[in-house]
């Protein structure tokens, strides 16, 4: 007789090798089901390596970014064909999809098979928040919206990493009772060896995929002005972005790059090398204004002050809990003032540590949300 776990087969369908967030989802389902991963590996965004002890079926297909929709559409046809074939072999009872490409593949499979589809959103398309002015872009957006509306009729549960995603866009596509909000909080087991930095030059850390280069360069310039160090840990959003920021920092002894890292093995040590966490992105980007990056949860857990961009949902939460400070995403002098105060004013710095400690459980609590995810299989 098959065990309950064997009867549940969950297949993650992704357009990238699982990142730490997806690995956390995989870990949740491993307790309840047999889990497999179907994904692509992109040459231009080759950031992560498979980190979990589950079967990965990886196709080397260099999908263009979502900005190049037409080109992506044709390239994704190859992934669709290979993914559908593999899905037929694996015969999952649940498909966990991320990105519209993956969702459409899952729906195509569902037409001939009995399967539940879970769809996760960690970023909202910019043109879903602010409609483009260009007639051509507006036409493409309307086409995507029609496809999405039709697709959502087959979505069993929607997972979001920011409640703002539902409030702004998905409220018209799926009822609230089918939505699961899961904060992008860290796998705390990876932080067991964490030891807070004690001494040495003041170091600002940016830990994760490096993008939004204007803000990264602003950090480098500001740190240089106050004799602080900078740690960039992680690869670039694209290989060209990584090369550009490295070239910009050429000859700067106060800037260190670690490159790609293994989350479970390295993350505690990386956070143990910094005094505060930089999470200032381009707040002119509509998605940035509503997203909640994993740095919020990691910084709070490690009791490190968080620097974020003004006029964002993230800045609202940081102010509400008192765990960091907001700065303009374009004003270098404002960043300099904040860094200097964090560096030289012990009382100012310690106040953020205290607030992180006080609100840690409230901000990080994800056990209840993970249980909701498991309930999909029960």
């Amino acid at each position: 007789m098959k065990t309950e776990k064997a009867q549940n087969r969950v297949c993650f369908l992704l357009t990238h090798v699982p990142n730490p967030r997806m690995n956390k989802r995989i870990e949740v389902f491993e307790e309840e089901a047999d889990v497999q991963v179907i994904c692509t590996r992109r040459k231009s965004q080759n950031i992560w390596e498979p980190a979990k002890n589950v079967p990965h079926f990886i196709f080397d297909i260099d999908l263009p970014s979502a900005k190049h929709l037409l080109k992506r559409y044709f390239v994704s046809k190859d992934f669709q064909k290979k993914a559908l074939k593999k899905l037929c072999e694996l015969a999952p009872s649940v498909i966990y999809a991320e990105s519209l490409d993956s969702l459409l593949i899952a729906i195509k499979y569902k037409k001939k098979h009995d399967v539940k589809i879970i769809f996760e959103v960690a970023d909202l398309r910019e043109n879903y928040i602010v409609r483009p002015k260009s007639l051509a872009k507006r036409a493409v957006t309307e086409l995507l919206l029609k496809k999405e509306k039709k697709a959502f009729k087959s979505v069993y549960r929607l997972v979001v990493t920011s409640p703002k995603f539902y409030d702004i866009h998905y409220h018209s596509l799926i009822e609230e009772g089918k939505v699961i909000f899961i904060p992008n909080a860290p796998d705390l087991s990876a932080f067991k060896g964490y030891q807070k930095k004690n001494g040495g030059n003041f170091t600002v850390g940016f830990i994760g995929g490096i993008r939004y280069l204007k803000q990264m360069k602003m950090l480098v310039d500001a740190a240089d002005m106050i004799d602080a160090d900078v740690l960039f840990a992680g690869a670039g959003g694209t290989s060209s972005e990584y090369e550009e920021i490295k070239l910009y920092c050429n000859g700067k002894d106060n800037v260190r790059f670690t490159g790609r890292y293994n989350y479970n093995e390295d993350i505690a040590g990386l956070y143990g090398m910094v005094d505060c966490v930089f999470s200032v992105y381009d707040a002119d980007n509509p998605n940035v204004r509503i997203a909640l990056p994993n740095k919020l949860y990691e910084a709070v857990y490690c009791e490190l002050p968080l620097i974020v961009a003004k006029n964002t949902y993230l800045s609202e939460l940081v102010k509400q809990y008192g765990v960091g400070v907001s700065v303009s995403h374009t004003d270098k002098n404002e960043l300099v003032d904040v860094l200097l105060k964090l560096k030289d004013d012990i009382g100012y710095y310690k106040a953020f540590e205290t607030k992180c400690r006080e609100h840690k459980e409230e901000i990080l609590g994800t056990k209840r949300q993970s249980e909701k995810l498991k309930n999909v299989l029960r």
Side-chain angles (χ1 to χ4, degrees):
M1 184 176 175
K2 288 185 177 181
T3 64
E4 185 179 349
K5 181 171 179 177
Q7 289 172 344
N8 288 319
R9 297 176 64 86
V10 178
C11 184
F12 281 76
L13 186 58
L14 311 170
T15 56
H16 56 83
V17 174
N19 54 22
R21 172 173 48 82
M22 273 298 143
N23 280 325
K24 283 180 282 184
R25 308 290 186 262
I26 290 170
E27 198 170 73
V28 168
F29 280 116
E30 272 188 290
E31 298 175 17
E32 305 282 336
D34 290 331
V35 179
Q36 296 90 22
V37 177
I38 299 173
C39 65
T40 66
R41 192 198 308 272
R42 308 189 206 178
K43 291 179 183 177
S44 59
Q45 289 183 304
N46 189 13
I47 300 175
W48 310 110
E49 289 296 330
K52 291 295 177 182
N53 189 30
V54 300
H56 285 66
F57 303 95
I58 303 174
F59 300 105
D60 290 310
I61 299 172
D62 198 18
L63 284 173
S65 74
K67 291 180 180 179
H68 306 286
L69 287 172
L70 194 60
K71 189 176 179 183
R72 184 177 174 118
Y73 173 77
F74 288 109
V75 176
S76 67
K77 286 287 185 182
D78 186 26
F79 178 49
Q80 181 183 106
K81 183 179 177 181
K82 291 176 178 177
L84 280 171
K85 183 179 178 182
K86 184 55 67 175
L87 283 169
C88 289
E89 293 174 12
L90 298 175
S93 55
V94 174
I95 297 177
Y96 199 107
E98 185 186 40
S99 85
L100 187 57
D101 312 65
S102 297
L103 177 58
L104 294 176
I105 294 169
I107 289 169
K108 202 163 188 176
Y109 178 81
K110 183 177 172 61
K111 287 179 180 178
K112 296 183 179 179
H113 303 85
D114 182 21
V115 66
K116 292 177 180 176
I117 297 175
I118 305 173
F119 185 53
E120 175 159 341
V121 176
D123 286 300
L124 196 55
R125 290 176 185 270
E126 182 177 338
N127 51 355
Y128 283 6
I129 308 168
V130 179
R131 293 294 186 265
K133 295 178 181 178
S134 158
L135 285 175
K137 289 183 179 178
R138 201 180 306 161
V140 171
T141 299
E142 291 304 318
L143 180 63
L144 285 174
L145 288 170
K146 284 180 182 178
K147 275 185 171 290
E148 188 183 59
K149 186 175 182 179
K150 186 177 179 181
F152 258 76
K153 293 175 182 177
S154 301
V155 173
Y156 181 69
R157 292 290 184 271
L158 171 67
V159 175
V160 294
T161 57
S162 170
K164 292 288 185 182
F165 295 159
Y166 182 75
D167 296 342
I168 288 172
H169 181 66
Y170 291 102
H171 66 277
S172 63
L173 298 177
I174 190 168
E175 60 190 78
E176 193 170 4
K178 293 183 177 181
V179 179
I180 304 171
F181 165 55
I182 302 185
N184 195 10
D187 176 359
L188 297 182
S189 65
F191 284 83
K192 283 181 180 176
Y194 170 70
Q195 291 186 327
K196 198 170 177 67
K197 181 174 175 286
N198 184 21
N201 202 32
F202 188 84
T203 302
V204 188
F206 183 87
I207 301 172
I210 300 170
R211 49 184 179 158
Y212 304 111
L213 295 191
K214 285 184 180 179
Q215 284 67 47
M216 301 304 108
K217 291 175 181 178
M218 185 174 77
L219 168 61
V220 171
D221 294 342
D224 202 32
M225 291 171 68
I226 66 163
D227 191 30
D229 291 345
V230 176
L231 175 72
F232 285 114
T238 65
S239 54
S240 61
E241 287 177 321
Y242 190 68
E243 291 306 315
E244 183 178 339
I245 190 64
K246 284 199 74 174
L247 184 63
Y248 187 79
C249 298
N250 191 31
K252 295 183 182 293
D253 295 335
N254 65 319
V255 181
R256 177 181 173 187
F257 290 85
T258 71
R260 290 195 298 174
Y261 57 86
N262 180 296
Y263 190 89
N264 287 339
E265 294 176 7
D266 303 328
I267 197 67
L270 291 171
Y271 272 95
M273 297 165 66
V274 303
D275 295 285
C276 69
V277 177
F278 186 75
S279 188
V280 177
Y281 298 150
D282 181 5
D284 293 329
N285 182 310
N287 180 65
V288 166
R289 291 199 292 268
I290 61 175
L292 294 179
N294 60 333
K295 293 176 189 62
L296 166 64
Y297 308 100
E298 292 167 342
V300 168
Y301 180 78
C302 295
E303 299 177 10
L304 296 170
L306 186 66
I307 304 173
V308 304
K310 287 180 176 177
N311 302 316
T312 61
Y313 181 43
L314 176 60
S315 67
E316 289 178 29
L317 294 183
V318 164
K319 181 180 180 181
Q320 176 185 335
Y321 293 112
V323 295
V325 61
S326 304
V327 299
S328 165
H329 67 288
T330 59
D331 190 336
K332 178 177 64 178
N333 292 327
E334 194 172 326
L335 178 59
V336 166
D337 291 343
V338 165
L339 290 177
L340 201 57
K341 197 168 183 181
L342 285 170
K343 179 186 176 188
D344 295 338
D345 189 333
I346 298 298
Y348 182 72
Y349 184 94
K350 290 288 184 183
F352 294 118
E353 275 188 330
T354 301
K355 289 296 183 181
C356 286
R357 196 174 306 120
E358 287 176 356
H359 296 290
K360 191 178 296 188
E361 285 300 318
E362 187 178 355
I363 294 172
L364 267 71
T366 58
K367 187 174 182 181
R368 183 167 49 86
Q369 288 86 353
S370 294
E371 282 301 316
K372 286 183 181 179
L373 207 52
K374 288 181 186 177
N375 285 338
V376 172
L377 304 177
R378 294 170 182 166

